[in-house]
Amino acid sequence: MKLTIKKDVLLEALNKVSKAISTKNLIPVLSGIRFDLKKKKLTLTASDNDITIQTYILNEEDNMNIEEEGSIIIQGKYILDIVRKLPDEFIHIEVIDELKILIYTENSEFNLNGISEKEYPNIDLTENKEFITIDNKTLKDIVFQTAFASSQDESKPVLTGINFKIVGNILECNSTDSYRLARKIVTLDKESTENYNIVIPSKNIVEFCRILGEGEEPVELHIFSNKILLKYHNLLFQSRLINGAYPNTSNLLPTDSFLVVSTTIEELYQVIDRASILTSDKDKNIVTLETNDSTLTLRSSSLEIGRVEEKMNVSKNVDENIKISFSAKYMMEALKSFPTSKIELHFTGEIKPIVLKSPEDESLTQLVLPIRTY
């Protein structure tokens, strides 16, 4: 294998695939990036058994010159550091004696030990004949508006993922950690021939969305029984699916409310943020909300620190009042997920869930469970 390649082009591809390299992997070969060089393109692959990322660089006049085809596995950490720090516009990579890698520019030379590509596990990145197409921005919105509500507790694996349900042209995504719920419903451009109900690990699909650029091309979702392959332009991203039935979250959402409080997201967020400053338990940071006429009051207190009270004007749909406590952290994360300026808090009772909706975007619903303080 022998080629000359533009540094920026190689670095962009390495940055994408390196997200699949785990430092804790027990299989040494998986700490490397597989280079497959053919006449028309260079393909890079990395995997940690949980996710696999593959991308390719086409052999075009201005970015690459291929002298000899071949395949080799190069230690991911070192190749990334070397390419990132070399100042030259073009980098030469050459494999000598099958397993010795020479990386050089005009003034720099690195010799690395490679691993034979025969040792790399056989990874199947076959695409499905039937696949779902979704707009790039829409997928990122879905993920970033729901993933934060998924659980970090590995003892309930199914709750560490986002539930994707597709029926016809409706995609419903749910994420919950048992204390809150995020739900996003979007209409797809094309009807699906099959119904799907899958759970994708949140951290995996968040990683995919971070890699995605701002391009106009849609993302293809190729769904299999135990994995999903996401395809975007020259990028393939494969993740395992989480086994197990996702809980039916529909019965968590109240169908009616006795009180709806309307205000702006920014003001409510800032008031809760200030009210939670003196809470002693940073995980729960409980604040108490109370309405009185058109005033909303937020309080929090700690025996060791002190107490705080914040007031703001709001509008209500009826002349009813409520007093309810909740986690400031959960409420602020829910508010932050809305891309709009206005918010409605729907109350069904002092020990019933609080539902957040925006009159400007009906596709997103957030739910926060109250916390008993007595």
Side-chain angles (χ1 to χ4, degrees):
M1 183 176 113
K2 189 175 180 183
L3 80 154
T4 304
I5 187 165
K6 206 170 193 175
K7 172 195 164 168
D8 292 347
V9 173
L10 178 58
L11 185 58
E12 185 186 349
L14 286 171
N15 278 329
K16 286 177 182 175
V17 297
S18 64
K19 300 290 190 292
I21 296 173
S22 168
T23 51
K24 299 172 186 172
N25 216 301
L26 299 175
I27 308 167
V29 72
L30 291 182
S31 63
I33 294 171
R34 178 172 171 153
F35 281 62
D36 289 300
L37 185 63
K38 299 282 189 279
K39 280 180 184 172
K40 292 187 177 177
K41 65 182 178 183
L42 169 66
T43 303
L44 305 180
T45 310
S47 178
D48 65 357
N49 278 336
D50 192 37
I51 60 170
T52 300
I53 304 174
Q54 186 177 89
T55 189
Y56 61 81
I57 301 163
L58 290 174
N59 181 11
E60 293 167 347
E61 286 178 22
D62 61 338
N63 66 14
M64 190 159 51
N65 177 34
I66 296 169
E67 293 183 50
E68 191 181 321
E69 294 182 1
S71 297
I72 192 80
I73 295 156
I74 307 177
Q75 288 292 330
K77 178 183 181 297
Y78 298 115
I79 183 69
L80 190 61
D81 273 355
I82 291 166
V83 173
R84 188 185 286 132
K85 291 175 181 179
L86 281 172
D88 307 67
E89 187 184 1
F90 283 91
I91 294 170
H92 306 275
I93 302 175
E94 187 177 344
V95 177
I96 305 157
D97 298 335
E98 293 190 358
L99 294 178
K100 297 287 181 189
I101 303 148
L102 183 62
I103 300 164
Y104 61 96
T105 61
E106 189 179 345
N107 298 312
S108 306
E109 184 179 301
F110 293 85
N111 286 276
L112 289 178
N113 295 323
I115 305 170
S116 168
E117 42 85 24
K118 292 171 187 167
E119 291 187 37
Y120 208 72
N122 184 27
I123 296 167
D124 182 12
L125 291 170
T126 311
E127 295 168 29
N128 218 334
K129 287 179 185 173
E130 295 288 330
F131 55 86
I132 309 294
T133 305
I134 187 165
D135 176 68
N136 175 352
K137 183 182 181 303
T138 304
L139 180 63
K140 285 195 282 194
D141 285 346
I142 287 168
V143 172
F144 293 133
Q145 289 175 343
T146 59
F148 68 90
S150 56
S151 177
Q152 305 295 314
D153 183 2
E154 293 292 339
S155 67
K156 295 178 183 173
V158 78
L159 296 185
T160 63
I162 303 176
N163 179 215
F164 278 65
K165 274 196 277 198
I166 301 169
V167 178
N169 67 338
I170 301 298
L171 166 60
E172 180 187 307
C173 293
N174 289 292
S175 185
T176 182
D177 61 2
S178 301
Y179 303 103
R180 53 182 167 171
L181 167 70
R183 169 173 291 180
K184 177 85 172 176
I185 299 173
V186 296
T187 304
L188 301 170
D189 293 336
K190 189 179 157 195
E191 285 216 8
S192 169
T193 52
E194 281 187 57
N195 294 344
Y196 296 98
N197 189 350
I198 59 169
V199 185
I200 308 172
S202 289
K203 62 182 175 63
N204 293 2
I205 195 154
V206 164
E207 197 62 76
F208 173 72
C209 288
R210 283 183 182 143
I211 297 171
L212 278 180
E214 297 298 324
E216 297 296 318
E217 286 185 51
V219 178
E220 293 176 10
L221 278 63
H222 298 257
I223 300 168
F224 299 87
S225 60
N226 62 345
K227 65 180 185 179
I228 182 168
L229 178 69
L230 301 151
K231 183 182 180 184
Y232 178 74
H233 186 42
N234 64 342
L235 179 72
L236 291 176
F237 185 105
Q238 186 163 279
S239 166
R240 67 180 174 90
L241 295 177
I242 299 173
N243 291 326
Y246 203 80
N248 178 14
T249 53
S250 296
N251 53 18
L252 287 173
L253 287 162
T255 51
D256 57 349
S257 53
F258 79 89
L259 171 64
V260 179
V261 171
S262 305
T263 184
T264 62
I265 290 174
E266 188 178 356
E267 188 181 359
L268 181 59
Y269 183 93
Q270 289 176 356
V271 165
I272 295 172
D273 194 17
R274 290 195 298 271
S276 65
I277 290 173
L278 301 189
T279 52
S280 52
D281 187 340
K282 280 295 167 203
D283 289 333
K284 289 188 178 146
N285 49 21
I286 300 167
V287 297
T288 300
L289 175 153
E290 191 173 353
T291 60
N292 186 10
D293 296 330
S294 60
T295 305
L296 183 148
T297 306
L298 278 156
R299 299 183 184 91
S300 72
S301 62
S302 159
L303 288 172
E304 311 90 64
I305 307 166
R307 61 191 298 275
V308 60
E309 182 175 291
E310 283 272 346
K311 290 185 178 180
M312 63 182 285
N313 290 325
V314 294
S315 5
K316 300 191 301 183
N317 65 332
V318 290
D319 192 20
E320 294 277 352
N321 287 305
I322 192 163
K323 184 176 180 181
I324 194 166
S325 300
F326 52 82
S327 158
K329 175 179 179 282
Y330 287 179
M331 185 63 78
M332 286 162 67
E333 286 180 343
L335 288 169
K336 210 157 51 171
S337 71
F338 287 90
T340 53
S341 61
K342 292 177 181 167
I343 195 73
E344 292 175 348
L345 303 179
H346 294 248
F347 298 100
T348 51
E350 293 187 357
I351 54 168
K352 299 279 181 67
I354 306 161
V355 176
L356 287 78
K357 293 180 182 178
S358 171
E360 300 160 318
D361 180 7
E362 293 180 2
S363 70
L364 182 63
T365 305
Q366 298 286 353
L367 177 148
V368 176
L369 285 183
I371 297 169
R372 288 193 181 197
T373 53
Y374 52 88

